[in-house]
């Protein structure tokens, strides 16, 4: 039984609905609002069309010709199998009955659909019940062959009780054909005698061959013995020539010293090796703070390039996009569609298959490609296409709209504004960077630090990667470079970036907590927490990451992923989010808040990782790393990514 059913326009107007008296209306309305917010508006349709909200299951059917949404709500535990057929039947009935009103836009009149709804629902339930009755039942034990077996029938009997096996006759040259039964005839006896004589001749020939081979083997053995005797004679002569050395003489002779590996001499450019040791110049302190080294000579051209909000990514010009449109590309596949008709599933199925292959070729995860194509197909089905140009324009605009809407952030993330708000509330704005090994967490943390310094914010870097050798030294080097770009002389004698570290092998959560406390006492604006790289299947390390986030409650938890991955991005993000939820005692648990997409300059137009990561979590891509310098930091432009994806 359905709890709630409604016919809704895409504008949000409810044309007709049914509510079960035993259920609360507010619960069903909340579930439908969640469906519209998370599925319909974000173009996440497709697949089975089922959406779960608490204990309720929701199935929806789109009518693209009249822009209607048919929604059925029922208890998830019921597992109703007839809902899909019911939605199709009721959509057809509603369209046929109110076709003129829907075509003329007469939405504000009364739609009396109660009798039809009850009839179609009853038919769907009866059909489902009949299908269950027609299911073939399994055989009972009495009907099976095993029930007919007894103990006596399973005992093997010996002796005369067992049937004797008739020996098979060997088939030889004298085998007789079927139908020839002249065993007593004279001709058959003559043939048998001739066959026996031929067999005797063959046996004699084989014996002769064996004797000849044996003679040859004996001759070869004699030759081998002669050669062996000659070799022995040569060995005796050689031993007589060489003088024997006694054991005492061996001990007196000095042993040869084995030569070891020589040390490599590096070209120091005329400098002494001690002059390259900067460890003594770094001030030591019990608090674990490192700040400034004056001997760096940075590239001054980077200063002032990242002040204000981050720049957008480059968008292809209209001329380039028009050339790409005319050159065909992936949209040349739509030439097979015929204009002037209503698109059906059979018309767009081959097109969607090619679209899926194209998305996978652009590095979109296979699972995400299938769901995107199903969503586009669901939106196109039922559309009326007027001309051939209309086909191409409709499909291109549908795909572009779905992808741009997917990449557009659903909530505001303005880091500069959030830093000001946190400072006004007496808190230090905290960001945590997590991800797998080798994706560029420390490097992009340094880029974000440079961006914050450019906007006149003091930054404290917390070195919480206490596992990887050289992790603290890498952050210290970045800190020296950044302080050289923005020396204290330009900021009233204040170091704009410092490093908080407590060595290796310590608890990362405690280091982050001490770093935030130190930042609050010393007037820092932002704390950036660098964590160790970890694989998504490593439960102890994922538990430690969840502890760090739960204890310190950062404002922003960023997952750092590289743009080179495809299907792996889905697995990484899903398991990171799941681990943070499973190992947290807070309710609701704090998961991934945003994504940092790195190595974006290495993929050309294979931008599918951005689609995969955003689709999985629904969280925005906050920063994009596009190069190796501190200025190579951008914010994601959805249009630029979609243009590259559809080339």
């Amino acid at each position: 039984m359905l709890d709630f059913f409604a016919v809704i326009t895409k504008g949000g107007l409810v044309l007709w609905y049914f509510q079960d008296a035993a259920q609360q209306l507010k619960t069903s309305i909340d579930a439908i609002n969640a469906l519209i917010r998370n599925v319909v508006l974000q173009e996440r349709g497709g697949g089975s069309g089922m959406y779960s909200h608490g204990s309720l299951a929701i199935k929806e059917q789109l009518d693209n010709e009249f822009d209607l949404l048919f929604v059925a709500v029922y208890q998830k535990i019921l597992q109703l199998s007839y809902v899909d057929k019911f939605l199709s039947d009721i959509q057809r009935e509603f369209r046929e009955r109110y076709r003129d009103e829907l075509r003329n836009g007469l939405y504000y009149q009364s739609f009396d659909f109660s009798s039809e709804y009850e009839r179609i629902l009853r038919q769907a339930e009866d059909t489902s019940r009949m299908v269950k009755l027609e299911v073939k039942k399994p055989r009972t034990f009495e009907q099976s062959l095993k029930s007919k077996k007894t103990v006596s029938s399973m005992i093997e009997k010996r002796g005369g009780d067992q049937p004797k096996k008739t020996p098979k006759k060997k088939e030889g040259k004298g085998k007789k054909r079927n139908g020839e039964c002249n065993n007593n005839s004279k001709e058959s006896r003559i043939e048998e005698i001739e066959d026996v004589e031929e067999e005797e001749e063959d046996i004699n020939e084989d014996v002769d061959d064996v004797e000849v081979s044996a003679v040859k083997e004996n001759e070869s053995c004699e030759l081998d013995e002669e050669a062996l005797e000659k070799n022995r004679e040569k060995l005796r002569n050689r031993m007589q020539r060489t003088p024997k050395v006694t054991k005492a003489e061996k001990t007196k002779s000095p042993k040869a010293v084995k030569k070891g590996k020589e040390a490599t001499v590096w070209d120091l450019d005329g400098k002494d090796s001690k002059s390259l040791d900067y460890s003594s110049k770094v001030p030591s302190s019990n608090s674990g703070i490192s700040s400034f080294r004056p001997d760096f000579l940075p590239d001054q051209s980077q200063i002032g390039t990242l002040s204000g909000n981050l720049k957008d990514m480059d968008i292809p010009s209209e001329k380039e996009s028009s050339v790409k449109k005319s050159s065909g590309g992936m949209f040349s596949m739509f030439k097979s569609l015929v204009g002037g008709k209503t698109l059906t599933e059979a018309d767009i199925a081959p097109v969607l298959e090619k679209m899926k292959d194209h998305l996978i070729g652009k590095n979109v995860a296979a699972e995400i490609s299938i769901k995107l194509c199903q969503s586009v197909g669901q939106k196109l089905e039922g559309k009326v296409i007027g001309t051939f140009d209309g086909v191409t324009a409709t499909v291109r605009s549908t795909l572009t709209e779905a992808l741009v809407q997917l990449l557009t952030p659903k909530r505001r993330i303005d880091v500069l504004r959030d830093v000001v708000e946190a400072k006004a509330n007496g808190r230090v704005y905290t960001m945590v960077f997590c991800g797998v090994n080798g994706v560029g967490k420390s490097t992009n943390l340094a880029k974000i630090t440079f961006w914050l310094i450019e906007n006149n914010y003091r930054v404290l870097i917390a070195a919480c990667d206490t596992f990887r050798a050289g992790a603290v030294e890498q952050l210290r080097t970045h800190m020296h470079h950044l302080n050289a770009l923005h020396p204290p002389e330009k900021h009233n004698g204040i170091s704009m970036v410092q490093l908080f570290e407590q060595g290796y092998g310590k608890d990362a959560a405690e280091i982050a907590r001490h770093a935030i406390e130190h930042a609050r006492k010393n007037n820092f604006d932002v704390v950036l927490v660098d964590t160790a790289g970890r694989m998504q299947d490593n439960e102890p390390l994922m538990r430690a990451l969840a502890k760090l986030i739960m204890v310190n409650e950062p404002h922003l938890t960023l997952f750092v992923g590289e743009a080179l991955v495809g299907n792996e991005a889905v697995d990484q993000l899903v398991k990171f989010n799941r681990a943070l939820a499973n190992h947290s005692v807070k309710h609701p648990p704090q998961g991934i808040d945003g994504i940092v997409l790195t190595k974006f300059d290495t993929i050309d137009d294979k931008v599918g990782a951005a689609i995969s990561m955003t689709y999985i979590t629904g969280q925005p891509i906050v920063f994009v790393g596009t190069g190796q310098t501190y200025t190579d930091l951008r914010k994601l432009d959805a249009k630029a990514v979609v243009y590259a994806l559809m080339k």
Side-chain angles (χ1 to χ4, degrees):
M1 187 63 182
L2 299 181
D3 295 347
F4 186 83
F5 174 80
V7 182
I8 310 171
T9 65
K10 284 191 176 180
L13 182 64
V14 179
L15 301 184
W16 186 86
Y17 77 95
F18 165 81
Q19 170 66 32
D20 188 6
Q23 303 298 327
Q24 295 182 0
L25 181 61
K26 184 178 183 304
T27 305
S28 302
I29 292 176
D30 292 341
I32 293 179
N33 287 335
L35 171 74
I36 295 173
R37 183 172 57 252
N38 298 326
V39 178
V40 178
L41 294 180
Q42 297 187 24
E43 303 292 341
R44 291 174 180 264
S48 62
M50 180 177 173
Y51 176 76
S52 298
H53 181 77
S55 62
L56 298 178
I58 312 166
K59 285 204 171 185
E60 43 92 13
Q61 181 85 18
L62 282 174
D63 189 314
N64 291 304
E65 183 178 356
F66 299 115
D67 290 335
L68 298 179
L69 183 66
F70 297 82
V71 184
V73 182
Y74 58 94
Q75 296 294 325
K76 194 190 324 184
I77 197 173
L78 294 180
Q79 300 289 330
L80 301 181
S81 59
Y82 60 83
V83 179
D84 291 330
K85 183 179 183 304
F86 164 74
L87 288 175
S88 299
D89 294 342
I90 207 163
Q91 176 193 6
R92 191 182 309 108
E93 182 70 23
F94 194 87
R95 282 166 48 95
E96 293 298 328
R97 178 165 183 176
Y98 299 108
R99 180 178 295 275
D100 296 335
E101 290 85 348
L102 295 174
R103 188 169 293 168
N104 297 325
L106 302 177
Y107 297 136
Y108 294 96
Q109 67 172 12
S110 61
F111 292 87
D112 187 9
F113 198 64
S114 301
S115 58
E116 288 81 359
Y117 169 79
E118 293 176 358
R119 175 176 56 81
I120 295 173
L121 180 61
R122 194 183 310 111
Q123 290 176 355
E125 291 176 346
D126 294 342
T127 304
S128 176
R129 200 176 296 114
M130 292 299 296
V131 170
K132 289 182 180 179
L133 293 175
E134 291 175 0
V135 175
K136 187 178 180 181
K137 295 182 179 180
R139 292 180 300 174
T140 61
F141 180 75
E142 288 74 14
Q143 295 173 344
S144 64
L145 296 176
K146 186 179 285 187
S147 64
K148 299 177 182 179
K149 291 184 178 180
T150 60
V151 176
S152 58
S153 65
M154 298 172 65
I155 298 175
E156 294 183 357
K157 298 180 180 180
R158 297 181 179 179
D161 295 339
Q162 292 182 347
K164 294 183 179 181
K165 297 181 179 180
T166 56
K168 295 182 179 180
K169 294 182 179 181
K170 295 183 179 180
E171 297 178 356
K173 294 182 181 179
K175 181 181 178 182
K176 293 174 282 296
R177 299 177 181 176
N178 295 332
E180 296 181 0
C181 300
N182 299 327
N183 293 332
N184 298 324
S185 62
K186 189 175 183 180
E187 290 82 1
S188 63
R189 288 184 173 277
I190 293 173
E191 289 179 357
E192 290 178 359
I193 293 171
E194 291 177 352
D195 292 339
V196 171
E197 290 177 354
E198 289 179 359
E199 290 180 358
E200 289 179 354
E201 291 178 359
D202 294 339
I203 292 172
N204 293 331
E205 290 178 358
D206 294 338
V207 171
D208 295 338
D209 294 338
V210 170
E211 291 177 353
V212 171
S213 62
V215 171
K216 290 183 179 180
E217 287 180 359
N218 291 332
E219 292 178 356
S220 63
C221 290
E222 292 177 359
L223 293 174
D224 292 341
E225 289 179 358
E226 292 178 0
L228 188 60
E229 189 62 30
K230 290 181 181 179
N231 292 334
R232 288 174 180 170
E233 188 66 25
K234 291 180 181 179
L235 181 61
R236 291 192 201 99
N237 296 333
R238 190 181 303 166
M239 292 177 65
Q240 290 176 359
R241 293 194 204 101
T242 56
K244 293 183 179 181
V245 181
T246 61
K247 189 175 182 181
E249 291 176 350
K250 285 182 180 180
T251 56
K252 291 179 181 179
S253 61
K255 291 184 178 180
V257 180
K258 190 175 180 180
K259 191 175 181 181
K261 184 179 178 181
E262 296 182 358
T264 304
V265 180
W266 299 98
D267 184 13
L268 301 178
D269 196 16
K271 295 181 180 180
D272 185 17
S273 59
K274 294 182 179 180
S275 63
L276 300 178
D277 184 14
Y278 295 102
S279 58
S280 60
K281 298 182 181 182
V282 179
S284 59
S285 175
N286 296 329
S287 62
I289 297 298
S290 302
S291 58
F292 175 58
R293 203 176 85 193
D295 52 349
F296 271 80
L297 297 176
D299 183 9
Q300 300 295 327
S301 62
Q302 303 180 43
I303 300 175
T305 56
L306 287 185
S307 59
N309 292 324
L310 290 175
K311 299 177 182 178
D312 292 331
M313 300 169 61
D314 296 332
I315 303 176
S317 63
E318 294 297 328
K319 184 177 180 180
E320 292 177 354
S321 60
S322 63
V323 171
K324 290 168 186 174
K325 284 182 188 177
S326 61
S327 62
M330 67 171 289
F331 289 97
S332 59
M333 65 185 74
F334 298 118
K335 293 179 180 178
S336 59
L337 297 179
V338 180
K341 63 175 290 187
T342 301
L343 293 179
T344 62
E345 185 178 357
D347 294 327
I348 60 179
V351 180
L352 294 178
E353 184 67 24
K354 293 181 181 179
M355 183 191 296
K356 182 194 73 174
D357 296 338
H358 176 83
L359 292 176
I360 294 174
K362 292 288 187 176
N363 221 13
V364 181
E367 178 186 356
I368 309 302
S369 302
I370 294 172
K371 291 182 179 179
L372 281 172
C373 291
Q374 289 174 345
S375 176
V376 172
Q378 191 176 14
K379 194 170 183 180
L380 282 176
E381 188 176 352
K383 288 283 185 182
V384 178
I385 305 301
T387 60
F388 170 74
D389 293 335
V391 174
T392 305
T394 302
V395 177
R396 175 179 279 274
S397 62
T398 303
L399 180 61
T400 304
E401 182 183 350
L403 294 176
V404 171
Q405 196 165 13
L406 177 66
L407 293 174
T408 303
K410 307 303 179 295
R411 61 187 181 89
R412 179 191 65 82
I413 294 185
D414 190 347
V415 176
L416 299 180
R417 182 177 174 181
D418 293 341
V419 171
V420 176
E421 291 181 359
K423 193 172 183 179
N425 295 328
R427 294 191 61 188
V428 180
Y429 190 81
T430 308
M431 284 192 283
V432 173
F433 296 80
C434 62
V436 299
N437 307 76
V439 295
K441 291 184 295 298
S442 302
T443 303
N444 286 272
L445 181 146
K447 293 180 182 180
I448 296 171
T449 303
F450 178 71
W451 172 60
L452 292 170
I453 296 172
E454 288 275 286
N455 289 277
N456 205 28
Y457 291 118
R458 290 191 69 199
V459 180
L460 180 65
I461 301 175
C464 295
D465 185 355
T466 62
F467 179 77
R468 178 173 63 91
V472 177
E473 288 75 14
Q474 180 184 7
L475 292 176
R476 184 180 292 120
T477 303
H478 281 303
M479 179 204 64
H480 292 321
H481 278 290
L482 293 169
N483 274 326
L485 287 169
H486 284 272
E489 293 79 14
K490 294 184 178 180
H491 300 276
N492 299 323
I494 300 175
S495 298
M496 296 302 292
V497 56
Q498 290 185 6
L499 175 66
F500 187 93
E501 51 96 3
Q502 293 182 349
Y504 294 95
K506 307 293 179 61
D507 185 10
E510 284 299 306
I511 295 176
R513 185 176 67 83
H514 293 156
I516 295 172
E517 186 66 26
H518 177 84
R520 184 164 50 248
K521 292 179 180 179
N522 293 273
N523 297 323
F524 282 90
D525 301 316
V526 183
V527 175
L528 303 183
V529 181
D530 183 35
T531 62
R534 64 203 75 210
M535 295 306 295
Q536 62 269 22
D537 298 316
N538 194 326
E539 183 180 351
L541 292 181
M542 296 304 298
R543 191 183 298 272
L545 177 64
K547 175 187 174 183
L548 185 149
I549 294 174
M550 181 182 63
V551 169
N552 296 284
E553 297 181 350
H555 295 83
L556 198 61
T557 303
L558 296 176
F559 176 83
V560 184
E562 57 185 7
L564 302 171
V565 295
N567 291 320
E568 185 68 11
V570 177
D571 187 59
Q572 290 174 5
L573 267 172
V574 168
K575 290 184 176 178
F576 262 81
N577 245 340
R578 186 187 303 158
L580 294 181
N582 293 342
H583 302 315
S584 177
V585 297
K586 294 177 57 179
H587 184 75
Q590 184 173 355
I592 302 297
D593 300 318
I595 300 168
V596 180
L597 195 60
T598 66
K599 306 177 185 178
F600 206 78
D601 55 316
T602 63
I603 58 171
D604 193 21
D605 59 348
K606 305 292 190 296
V607 296
I611 303 293
S612 302
M613 292 183 180
T614 308
Y615 193 96
I616 286 297
T617 61
Q619 301 298 341
I621 297 176
V622 186
F623 301 103
V624 179
T626 58
Q628 299 179 0
T629 65
Y630 293 135
T631 59
D632 293 326
L633 189 68
R634 297 287 184 272
K635 69 176 181 180
L636 186 76
D637 192 330
K639 292 183 179 179
V641 174
V642 172
Y643 275 132
L645 192 67
M646 291 168 45
K647 281 199 297 186

